[in-house]
Amino acid sequence: MQLRSDAIKKGLARAPHRSLLAADGLTDEELDRPLVAVVSAQNEVIPGHIHLDKIAEAVKAGVRMAGGTPLQVNTIGVCDGIAMNHAGMRYSLTSREVIADSVECAVQGHQFDAMVLIPSCDKIVPGMLIAAARLDIPTVLVSGGPMLAGRGRNGEQTDLNSLFDAVGQVTAGTMTEEECRWLEGTACPTCGSCSGMFTANSICCLAEALGIALPGNGTVPAVYSERIRLAKRAGMKVMELVEKNLTARQIISPAAIHNGMVLDMAFGGSTNTMLHLTAIAQAAGCPVTMEDWDRASAETPNIVRIAPAGPLHIQDLNDVGGVSAIIGELGRTGHLDLSALTCHGTMAEWVESCPPVDGEVVRSVDNAYSPDGGLKVVRGNLAPDCGVVKKSAVAPEMWQHSGPARVFDSEEEACKAIFGGAIKAGDVVVIRYEGPAGGPGMREMLTPTSAICGMGLASSVALITDGRFSGASKGPCIGHVSPEAAAGGPIALVEEGDTISIDIQAGLLELDVPEDVLAARRAAWQPPAPKYTTGVLSRYAKLVTSADKGAYLS
């Protein structure tokens, strides 16, 4: 069999290359086998990644068992929770592109025959999937798995978002600092990606629907022995793909992207998945638009509500069959493209083997929470291209809201006002110049959204931004507003006290200001000076596309 890696190991001219590989300790027998890149994002900062060395060893064992030679390479990661609400968050979404580039460089530079991707958290998973689409070689992804939920003093499940909410509760006087301190030590009890249907777990589940990961990837907890067995099977599976010459773009196809969008709507994942899946589709040569997301939302019932949309966590979904339970219900009711290929067979074959829904964690389509999806695209004169909201995590009484704009040109300004008690019931908080280019880096807004919730304002205050939200955010929070303020979008023209009207069910976001007044404001508007003139953020701001395009680099 002709191998890509023959370019670095076959023929007289490759004697120097073989000498270097021998210096790695590789034998002639190992060099005769396919070379598999085991791409790990292990580090000692991110709890979802601290244990990936064990996952990598299991993957390597699987590759060897199936006749391949595994070689580990590494990439970076940024923990969104630790980066939240300071300058570090500007580097989070930016890191997605750095990760994609670094994987592409390492794999192309050494001409690997295949790769197994080992991420866990928010930007690392899509960054690796973008690289997989670019490289188009046999690929399997296996994440480190989700964290177990914590337990509150009254037996309720807790998670990282419990802490962000607690900060608002302490500020409001409804929780003591001692209670908050107790949560600090209990809400994140194990390694793994944070335990709700937050961004990391959303995209790890979507990797299953895309077909690039084995069933269980998104839900088997990090601390279960099944996670190690899954990693070994991933190593064996990639060798099967090498034999079949089944590459990433044959799997991440238009049909697979459709199935990913449908699953996203069914479980109401993080709004960040709309950025990431759009960017992955672009890299795979099958781009999607906000209109495609609109259709997926309109046609897909919401049948799962995991935290922050409900009290349950990923381990509860795993207990009733994981993503397979959702896929089975969606496939049997005609919502999926059953022709899609996965790394373990066709979608039709997978659906046939899926368990029935339990009716509580995963509802049937006939008993859905909502006939449409958990995520919603909104538009209007304030967001001509798009805004997005996690509808399933918004109380129905806030699906419609109208109120005065409270305008802030940065997240820090908004947080100061919220924690200072300046935001009142009925207000619409506008945080702008936080978009992909204007941020730069499109920071997540978990601190202000959680502060609003923790201070008891989630049923009376809305938040709108050209930035984005953590997957843990809940409440009437509309992000990804496009065009962004830095590009002269209408959000840049909002003034303090303007009335903003929201109708989530109808998909409307309107600034109630006469057009001639907006025209005068537009004529007077000046673009802001760049916040960064050197380094990665400067380059990112110059090259990044808008949120409705997936914020990929042009």
Side-chain angles (χ1 to χ4, degrees), residues 7-51:
I8 65 168
K9 64 188 186 183
K10 294 292 186 182
L12 176 62
R14 297 300 180 255
H17 307 62
R18 290 192 296 272
S19 181
L20 289 167
L21 291 166
D24 291 333
L26 295 177
T27 65
D28 289 344
E29 290 82 1
E30 287 173 303
L31 288 180
D32 282 341
R33 299 169 182 168
L35 300 185
V36 178
V38 177
V39 186
S40 172
Q42 195 273 338
N43 62 67
E44 295 183 345
V45 180
I46 308 175
H49 288 224
I50 196 166
H51 64 303

mmCIF file of all heavy atoms in Angstrom, residues 7-51:
data_model
loop_
_atom_site.group_PDB
_atom_site.id
_atom_site.type_symbol
_atom_site.label_atom_id
_atom_site.label_comp_id
_atom_site.label_asym_id
_atom_site.label_seq_id
_atom_site.Cartn_x
_atom_site.Cartn_y
_atom_site.Cartn_z
ATOM 1 N N ALA A 7 7.085 9.415 1.765
ATOM 2 C CA ALA A 7 7.829 10.617 1.371
ATOM 3 C C ALA A 7 8.961 10.942 2.338
ATOM 4 O O ALA A 7 9.886 11.689 1.985
ATOM 5 C CB ALA A 7 6.879 11.810 1.278
ATOM 6 N N ILE A 8 8.915 10.392 3.562
ATOM 7 C CA ILE A 8 9.983 10.672 4.527
ATOM 8 C C ILE A 8 10.785 9.426 4.895
ATOM 9 O O ILE A 8 11.715 9.515 5.702
ATOM 10 C CB ILE A 8 9.439 11.329 5.818
ATOM 11 C CG1 ILE A 8 8.519 10.381 6.578
ATOM 12 C CG2 ILE A 8 8.717 12.637 5.500
ATOM 13 C CD1 ILE A 8 8.177 10.860 7.985
ATOM 14 N N LYS A 9 10.445 8.253 4.297
ATOM 15 C CA LYS A 9 11.128 7.049 4.769
ATOM 16 C C LYS A 9 11.519 6.059 3.679
ATOM 17 O O LYS A 9 12.137 5.037 3.977
ATOM 18 C CB LYS A 9 10.272 6.352 5.831
ATOM 19 C CG LYS A 9 8.934 5.821 5.320
ATOM 20 C CD LYS A 9 8.058 5.324 6.464
ATOM 21 C CE LYS A 9 6.795 4.670 5.960
ATOM 22 N NZ LYS A 9 5.903 4.246 7.042
ATOM 23 N N LYS A 10 11.199 6.303 2.424
ATOM 24 C CA LYS A 10 11.480 5.335 1.360
ATOM 25 C C LYS A 10 12.535 5.873 0.389
ATOM 26 O O LYS A 10 12.507 7.044 0.012
ATOM 27 C CB LYS A 10 10.197 5.010 0.581
ATOM 28 C CG LYS A 10 9.127 4.269 1.388
ATOM 29 C CD LYS A 10 9.559 2.863 1.739
ATOM 30 C CE LYS A 10 8.414 2.108 2.421
ATOM 31 N NZ LYS A 10 8.806 0.749 2.811
ATOM 32 N N GLY A 11 13.435 4.986 -0.034
ATOM 33 C CA GLY A 11 14.397 5.318 -1.072
ATOM 34 C C GLY A 11 15.717 5.836 -0.524
ATOM 35 O O GLY A 11 15.825 6.264 0.637
ATOM 36 N N LEU A 12 16.722 5.804 -1.377
ATOM 37 C CA LEU A 12 18.067 6.216 -0.997
ATOM 38 C C LEU A 12 18.105 7.655 -0.503
ATOM 39 O O LEU A 12 18.786 7.979 0.478
ATOM 40 C CB LEU A 12 19.007 6.048 -2.193
ATOM 41 C CG LEU A 12 20.452 6.522 -1.992
ATOM 42 C CD1 LEU A 12 21.125 5.720 -0.881
ATOM 43 C CD2 LEU A 12 21.233 6.417 -3.297
ATOM 44 N N ALA A 13 17.357 8.547 -1.170
ATOM 45 C CA ALA A 13 17.402 9.967 -0.811
ATOM 46 C C ALA A 13 16.863 10.237 0.588
ATOM 47 O O ALA A 13 17.087 11.309 1.158
ATOM 48 C CB ALA A 13 16.620 10.791 -1.834
ATOM 49 N N ARG A 14 16.157 9.259 1.158
ATOM 50 C CA ARG A 14 15.578 9.445 2.493
ATOM 51 C C ARG A 14 16.449 8.834 3.596
ATOM 52 O O ARG A 14 16.002 8.694 4.737
ATOM 53 C CB ARG A 14 14.162 8.848 2.541
ATOM 54 C CG ARG A 14 13.186 9.533 1.584
ATOM 55 C CD ARG A 14 13.033 11.012 1.893
ATOM 56 N NE ARG A 14 12.111 11.664 0.975
ATOM 57 C CZ ARG A 14 12.474 12.461 -0.025
ATOM 58 N NH1 ARG A 14 13.760 12.692 -0.272
ATOM 59 N NH2 ARG A 14 11.573 13.028 -0.802
ATOM 60 N N ALA A 15 17.686 8.486 3.285
ATOM 61 C CA ALA A 15 18.591 7.967 4.319
ATOM 62 C C ALA A 15 18.749 8.937 5.484
ATOM 63 O O ALA A 15 18.710 8.526 6.658
ATOM 64 C CB ALA A 15 19.945 7.622 3.698
ATOM 65 N N PRO A 16 18.912 10.258 5.235
ATOM 66 C CA PRO A 16 19.013 11.191 6.367
ATOM 67 C C PRO A 16 17.745 11.213 7.221
ATOM 68 O O PRO A 16 17.809 11.304 8.449
ATOM 69 C CB PRO A 16 19.247 12.544 5.691
ATOM 70 C CG PRO A 16 19.771 12.226 4.340
ATOM 71 C CD PRO A 16 19.102 10.958 3.939
ATOM 72 N N HIS A 17 16.588 11.119 6.547
ATOM 73 C CA HIS A 17 15.320 11.141 7.254
ATOM 74 C C HIS A 17 15.203 9.909 8.157
ATOM 75 O O HIS A 17 14.803 10.005 9.327
ATOM 76 C CB HIS A 17 14.153 11.155 6.260
ATOM 77 C CG HIS A 17 14.226 12.240 5.229
ATOM 78 N ND1 HIS A 17 15.239 12.335 4.312
ATOM 79 C CD2 HIS A 17 13.381 13.277 4.955
ATOM 80 C CE1 HIS A 17 15.043 13.367 3.519
ATOM 81 N NE2 HIS A 17 13.911 13.967 3.894
ATOM 82 N N ARG A 18 15.572 8.745 7.609
ATOM 83 C CA ARG A 18 15.496 7.506 8.395
ATOM 84 C C ARG A 18 16.454 7.558 9.581
ATOM 85 O O ARG A 18 16.148 7.038 10.663
ATOM 86 C CB ARG A 18 15.792 6.305 7.508
ATOM 87 C CG ARG A 18 14.697 5.997 6.497
ATOM 88 C CD ARG A 18 14.893 4.635 5.839
ATOM 89 N NE ARG A 18 16.104 4.571 5.047
ATOM 90 C CZ ARG A 18 16.197 4.924 3.761
ATOM 91 N NH1 ARG A 18 15.114 5.381 3.128
ATOM 92 N NH2 ARG A 18 17.330 4.827 3.100
ATOM 93 N N SER A 19 17.592 8.205 9.382
ATOM 94 C CA SER A 19 18.541 8.326 10.486
ATOM 95 C C SER A 19 17.945 9.141 11.631
ATOM 96 O O SER A 19 18.103 8.787 12.816
ATOM 97 C CB SER A 19 19.830 8.994 9.983
ATOM 98 O OG SER A 19 20.774 9.110 11.020
ATOM 99 N N LEU A 20 17.250 10.212 11.295
ATOM 100 C CA LEU A 20 16.606 11.023 12.330
ATOM 101 C C LEU A 20 15.490 10.249 13.030
ATOM 102 O O LEU A 20 15.321 10.340 14.249
ATOM 103 C CB LEU A 20 16.061 12.306 11.715
ATOM 104 C CG LEU A 20 17.124 13.325 11.281
ATOM 105 C CD1 LEU A 20 16.497 14.402 10.413
ATOM 106 C CD2 LEU A 20 17.805 13.942 12.504
ATOM 107 N N LEU A 21 14.727 9.480 12.251
ATOM 108 C CA LEU A 21 13.666 8.675 12.857
ATOM 109 C C LEU A 21 14.244 7.568 13.728
ATOM 110 O O LEU A 21 13.682 7.210 14.773
ATOM 111 C CB LEU A 21 12.764 8.107 11.763
ATOM 112 C CG LEU A 21 11.917 9.168 11.030
ATOM 113 C CD1 LEU A 21 11.322 8.592 9.752
ATOM 114 C CD2 LEU A 21 10.822 9.715 11.935
ATOM 115 N N ALA A 22 15.384 7.027 13.317
ATOM 116 C CA ALA A 22 16.058 6.034 14.152
ATOM 117 C C ALA A 22 16.516 6.656 15.468
ATOM 118 O O ALA A 22 16.517 6.004 16.522
ATOM 119 C CB ALA A 22 17.249 5.441 13.399
ATOM 120 N N ALA A 23 16.895 7.941 15.404
ATOM 121 C CA ALA A 23 17.290 8.641 16.627
ATOM 122 C C ALA A 23 16.126 8.773 17.612
ATOM 123 O O ALA A 23 16.334 8.955 18.816
ATOM 124 C CB ALA A 23 17.849 10.023 16.280
ATOM 125 N N ASP A 24 14.903 8.677 17.098
ATOM 126 C CA ASP A 24 13.722 8.649 17.968
ATOM 127 C C ASP A 24 13.528 7.288 18.625
ATOM 128 O O ASP A 24 12.622 7.117 19.456
ATOM 129 C CB ASP A 24 12.453 8.976 17.156
ATOM 130 C CG ASP A 24 12.403 10.423 16.695
ATOM 131 O OD1 ASP A 24 13.000 11.280 17.371
ATOM 132 O OD2 ASP A 24 11.752 10.693 15.667
ATOM 133 N N GLY A 25 14.331 6.298 18.201
ATOM 134 C CA GLY A 25 14.189 4.958 18.737
ATOM 135 C C GLY A 25 13.338 4.043 17.890
ATOM 136 O O GLY A 25 12.995 2.931 18.298
ATOM 137 N N LEU A 26 12.967 4.490 16.686
ATOM 138 C CA LEU A 26 12.107 3.683 15.832
ATOM 139 C C LEU A 26 12.918 2.612 15.094
ATOM 140 O O LEU A 26 14.015 2.871 14.595
ATOM 141 C CB LEU A 26 11.397 4.571 14.809
ATOM 142 C CG LEU A 26 10.398 5.584 15.383
ATOM 143 C CD1 LEU A 26 9.822 6.454 14.277
ATOM 144 C CD2 LEU A 26 9.292 4.904 16.158
ATOM 145 N N THR A 27 12.352 1.425 15.032
ATOM 146 C CA THR A 27 12.985 0.316 14.321
ATOM 147 C C THR A 27 12.526 0.296 12.870
ATOM 148 O O THR A 27 11.550 0.965 12.494
ATOM 149 C CB THR A 27 12.602 -1.019 14.969
ATOM 150 O OG1 THR A 27 11.171 -1.223 14.806
ATOM 151 C CG2 THR A 27 12.943 -1.041 16.456
ATOM 152 N N ASP A 28 13.226 -0.505 12.048
ATOM 153 C CA ASP A 28 12.815 -0.646 10.649
ATOM 154 C C ASP A 28 11.397 -1.191 10.560
ATOM 155 O O ASP A 28 10.625 -0.797 9.680
ATOM 156 C CB ASP A 28 13.774 -1.583 9.909
ATOM 157 C CG ASP A 28 15.149 -0.955 9.694
ATOM 158 O OD1 ASP A 28 15.268 0.269 9.845
ATOM 159 O OD2 ASP A 28 16.091 -1.709 9.386
ATOM 160 N N GLU A 29 11.072 -2.110 11.483
ATOM 161 C CA GLU A 29 9.728 -2.700 11.472
ATOM 162 C C GLU A 29 8.664 -1.619 11.727
ATOM 163 O O GLU A 29 7.594 -1.615 11.107
ATOM 164 C CB GLU A 29 9.619 -3.807 12.524
ATOM 165 C CG GLU A 29 10.423 -5.055 12.205
ATOM 166 C CD GLU A 29 11.899 -4.916 12.585
ATOM 167 O OE1 GLU A 29 12.306 -3.852 13.121
ATOM 168 O OE2 GLU A 29 12.647 -5.891 12.344
ATOM 169 N N GLU A 30 8.943 -0.709 12.647
ATOM 170 C CA GLU A 30 7.988 0.362 12.935
ATOM 171 C C GLU A 30 7.863 1.324 11.757
ATOM 172 O O GLU A 30 6.769 1.819 11.459
ATOM 173 C CB GLU A 30 8.417 1.123 14.195
ATOM 174 C CG GLU A 30 8.196 0.339 15.483
ATOM 175 C CD GLU A 30 8.782 1.034 16.690
ATOM 176 O OE1 GLU A 30 9.997 1.309 16.700
ATOM 177 O OE2 GLU A 30 8.009 1.314 17.647
ATOM 178 N N LEU A 31 8.974 1.556 11.068
ATOM 179 C CA LEU A 31 8.929 2.463 9.922
ATOM 180 C C LEU A 31 8.204 1.856 8.732
ATOM 181 O O LEU A 31 7.721 2.582 7.860
ATOM 182 C CB LEU A 31 10.344 2.862 9.511
ATOM 183 C CG LEU A 31 11.070 3.818 10.463
ATOM 184 C CD1 LEU A 31 12.467 4.127 9.934
ATOM 185 C CD2 LEU A 31 10.286 5.108 10.658
ATOM 186 N N ASP A 32 8.114 0.547 8.684
ATOM 187 C CA ASP A 32 7.386 -0.106 7.600
ATOM 188 C C ASP A 32 5.872 0.045 7.748
ATOM 189 O O ASP A 32 5.128 -0.199 6.805
ATOM 190 C CB ASP A 32 7.741 -1.601 7.546
ATOM 191 C CG ASP A 32 9.092 -1.846 6.889
ATOM 192 O OD1 ASP A 32 9.561 -0.945 6.167
ATOM 193 O OD2 ASP A 32 9.669 -2.923 7.126
ATOM 194 N N ARG A 33 5.426 0.442 8.928
ATOM 195 C CA ARG A 33 3.996 0.556 9.191
ATOM 196 C C ARG A 33 3.515 2.000 8.933
ATOM 197 O O ARG A 33 4.324 2.930 8.899
ATOM 198 C CB ARG A 33 3.702 0.188 10.650
ATOM 199 C CG ARG A 33 4.088 -1.232 11.016
ATOM 200 C CD ARG A 33 4.018 -1.437 12.512
ATOM 201 N NE ARG A 33 4.433 -2.784 12.886
ATOM 202 C CZ ARG A 33 4.701 -3.178 14.131
ATOM 203 N NH1 ARG A 33 4.597 -2.302 15.130
ATOM 204 N NH2 ARG A 33 5.067 -4.416 14.382
ATOM 205 N N PRO A 34 2.204 2.188 8.795
ATOM 206 C CA PRO A 34 1.683 3.559 8.693
ATOM 207 C C PRO A 34 2.041 4.376 9.933
ATOM 208 O O PRO A 34 1.983 3.872 11.065
ATOM 209 C CB PRO A 34 0.163 3.354 8.591
ATOM 210 C CG PRO A 34 0.010 1.969 8.039
ATOM 211 C CD PRO A 34 1.137 1.176 8.618
ATOM 212 N N LEU A 35 2.421 5.615 9.719
ATOM 213 C CA LEU A 35 2.754 6.521 10.824
ATOM 214 C C LEU A 35 1.516 7.350 11.180
ATOM 215 O O LEU A 35 0.941 8.018 10.327
ATOM 216 C CB LEU A 35 3.903 7.449 10.433
ATOM 217 C CG LEU A 35 5.230 6.783 10.042
ATOM 218 C CD1 LEU A 35 6.303 7.843 9.801
ATOM 219 C CD2 LEU A 35 5.685 5.773 11.090
ATOM 220 N N VAL A 36 1.118 7.265 12.440
ATOM 221 C CA VAL A 36 -0.109 7.917 12.903
ATOM 222 C C VAL A 36 0.246 9.029 13.889
ATOM 223 O O VAL A 36 0.872 8.776 14.925
ATOM 224 C CB VAL A 36 -1.058 6.909 13.578
ATOM 225 C CG1 VAL A 36 -2.318 7.610 14.097
ATOM 226 C CG2 VAL A 36 -1.425 5.791 12.605
ATOM 227 N N ALA A 37 -0.151 10.241 13.568
ATOM 228 C CA ALA A 37 0.036 11.365 14.491
ATOM 229 C C ALA A 37 -1.000 11.272 15.605
ATOM 230 O O ALA A 37 -2.200 11.217 15.342
ATOM 231 C CB ALA A 37 -0.105 12.689 13.758
ATOM 232 N N VAL A 38 -0.531 11.222 16.824
ATOM 233 C CA VAL A 38 -1.410 11.279 17.993
ATOM 234 C C VAL A 38 -1.293 12.714 18.510
ATOM 235 O O VAL A 38 -0.303 13.090 19.142
ATOM 236 C CB VAL A 38 -0.994 10.249 19.059
ATOM 237 C CG1 VAL A 38 -1.863 10.372 20.300
ATOM 238 C CG2 VAL A 38 -1.074 8.842 18.477
ATOM 239 N N VAL A 39 -2.295 13.518 18.175
ATOM 240 C CA VAL A 39 -2.216 14.967 18.399
ATOM 241 C C VAL A 39 -2.913 15.303 19.712
ATOM 242 O O VAL A 39 -4.138 15.284 19.804
ATOM 243 C CB VAL A 39 -2.864 15.748 17.235
ATOM 244 C CG1 VAL A 39 -2.627 17.242 17.423
ATOM 245 C CG2 VAL A 39 -2.293 15.291 15.892
ATOM 246 N N SER A 40 -2.134 15.610 20.718
ATOM 247 C CA SER A 40 -2.670 15.851 22.057
ATOM 248 C C SER A 40 -2.557 17.320 22.436
ATOM 249 O O SER A 40 -1.593 17.989 22.076
ATOM 250 C CB SER A 40 -1.907 15.004 23.083
ATOM 251 O OG SER A 40 -2.275 15.352 24.414
ATOM 252 N N ALA A 41 -3.536 17.789 23.192
ATOM 253 C CA ALA A 41 -3.494 19.147 23.737
ATOM 254 C C ALA A 41 -3.289 19.098 25.248
ATOM 255 O O ALA A 41 -3.722 19.986 25.976
ATOM 256 C CB ALA A 41 -4.777 19.897 23.400
ATOM 257 N N GLN A 42 -2.612 18.057 25.724
ATOM 258 C CA GLN A 42 -2.399 17.906 27.164
ATOM 259 C C GLN A 42 -1.626 19.086 27.728
ATOM 260 O O GLN A 42 -0.668 19.577 27.133
ATOM 261 C CB GLN A 42 -1.624 16.603 27.448
ATOM 262 C CG GLN A 42 -1.663 16.157 28.899
ATOM 263 C CD GLN A 42 -0.565 16.764 29.756
ATOM 264 O OE1 GLN A 42 0.462 17.186 29.246
ATOM 265 N NE2 GLN A 42 -0.788 16.822 31.057
ATOM 266 N N ASN A 43 -2.074 19.587 28.880
ATOM 267 C CA ASN A 43 -1.332 20.609 29.621
ATOM 268 C C ASN A 43 -1.765 20.561 31.073
ATOM 269 O O ASN A 43 -2.675 19.803 31.430
ATOM 270 C CB ASN A 43 -1.547 22.003 29.008
ATOM 271 C CG ASN A 43 -2.996 22.444 29.047
ATOM 272 O OD1 ASN A 43 -3.553 22.671 30.114
ATOM 273 N ND2 ASN A 43 -3.622 22.556 27.879
ATOM 274 N N GLU A 44 -1.122 21.331 31.906
ATOM 275 C CA GLU A 44 -1.392 21.291 33.345
ATOM 276 C C GLU A 44 -2.203 22.491 33.830
ATOM 277 O O GLU A 44 -2.249 22.764 35.022
ATOM 278 C CB GLU A 44 -0.066 21.195 34.108
ATOM 279 C CG GLU A 44 0.683 19.891 33.841
ATOM 280 C CD GLU A 44 1.965 19.757 34.639
ATOM 281 O OE1 GLU A 44 2.437 20.781 35.185
ATOM 282 O OE2 GLU A 44 2.488 18.634 34.722
ATOM 283 N N VAL A 45 -2.878 23.177 32.900
ATOM 284 C CA VAL A 45 -3.693 24.334 33.255
ATOM 285 C C VAL A 45 -5.177 24.008 33.151
ATOM 286 O O VAL A 45 -5.967 24.322 34.050
ATOM 287 C CB VAL A 45 -3.358 25.535 32.336
ATOM 288 C CG1 VAL A 45 -4.215 26.747 32.693
ATOM 289 C CG2 VAL A 45 -1.887 25.889 32.435
ATOM 290 N N ILE A 46 -5.573 23.371 32.058
ATOM 291 C CA ILE A 46 -6.990 23.132 31.771
ATOM 292 C C ILE A 46 -7.428 21.807 32.395
ATOM 293 O O ILE A 46 -6.854 20.758 32.082
ATOM 294 C CB ILE A 46 -7.231 23.083 30.250
ATOM 295 C CG1 ILE A 46 -6.638 24.320 29.558
ATOM 296 C CG2 ILE A 46 -8.720 22.976 29.947
ATOM 297 C CD1 ILE A 46 -6.731 24.285 28.050
ATOM 298 N N PRO A 47 -8.442 21.809 33.260
ATOM 299 C CA PRO A 47 -8.864 20.550 33.881
ATOM 300 C C PRO A 47 -9.375 19.522 32.884
ATOM 301 O O PRO A 47 -9.319 18.322 33.148
ATOM 302 C CB PRO A 47 -9.969 20.973 34.867
ATOM 303 C CG PRO A 47 -10.379 22.345 34.440
ATOM 304 C CD PRO A 47 -9.176 22.970 33.807
ATOM 305 N N GLY A 48 -9.855 19.986 31.738
ATOM 306 C CA GLY A 48 -10.270 19.048 30.702
ATOM 307 C C GLY A 48 -9.110 18.401 29.978
ATOM 308 O O GLY A 48 -9.289 17.449 29.219
ATOM 309 N N HIS A 49 -7.889 18.919 30.223
ATOM 310 C CA HIS A 49 -6.725 18.458 29.467
ATOM 311 C C HIS A 49 -5.625 17.868 30.324
ATOM 312 O O HIS A 49 -4.680 17.285 29.807
ATOM 313 C CB HIS A 49 -6.163 19.624 28.655
ATOM 314 C CG HIS A 49 -7.019 20.005 27.493
ATOM 315 N ND1 HIS A 49 -6.520 20.280 26.245
ATOM 316 C CD2 HIS A 49 -8.362 20.137 27.379
ATOM 317 C CE1 HIS A 49 -7.509 20.571 25.422
ATOM 318 N NE2 HIS A 49 -8.641 20.497 26.105
ATOM 319 N N ILE A 50 -5.741 18.003 31.629
ATOM 320 C CA ILE A 50 -4.645 17.594 32.492
ATOM 321 C C ILE A 50 -4.384 16.087 32.430
ATOM 322 O O ILE A 50 -3.273 15.620 32.650
ATOM 323 C CB ILE A 50 -4.908 18.062 33.944
ATOM 324 C CG1 ILE A 50 -3.623 17.995 34.766
ATOM 325 C CG2 ILE A 50 -6.049 17.273 34.575
ATOM 326 C CD1 ILE A 50 -3.703 18.742 36.087
ATOM 327 N N HIS A 51 -5.405 15.322 32.054
ATOM 328 C CA HIS A 51 -5.277 13.857 32.012
ATOM 329 C C HIS A 51 -5.104 13.305 30.599
ATOM 330 O O HIS A 51 -5.147 12.087 30.402
ATOM 331 C CB HIS A 51 -6.531 13.237 32.630
ATOM 332 C CG HIS A 51 -7.788 13.535 31.862
ATOM 333 N ND1 HIS A 51 -8.214 14.813 31.603
ATOM 334 C CD2 HIS A 51 -8.697 12.715 31.266
ATOM 335 C CE1 HIS A 51 -9.331 14.780 30.902
ATOM 336 N NE2 HIS A 51 -9.640 13.523 30.681
#
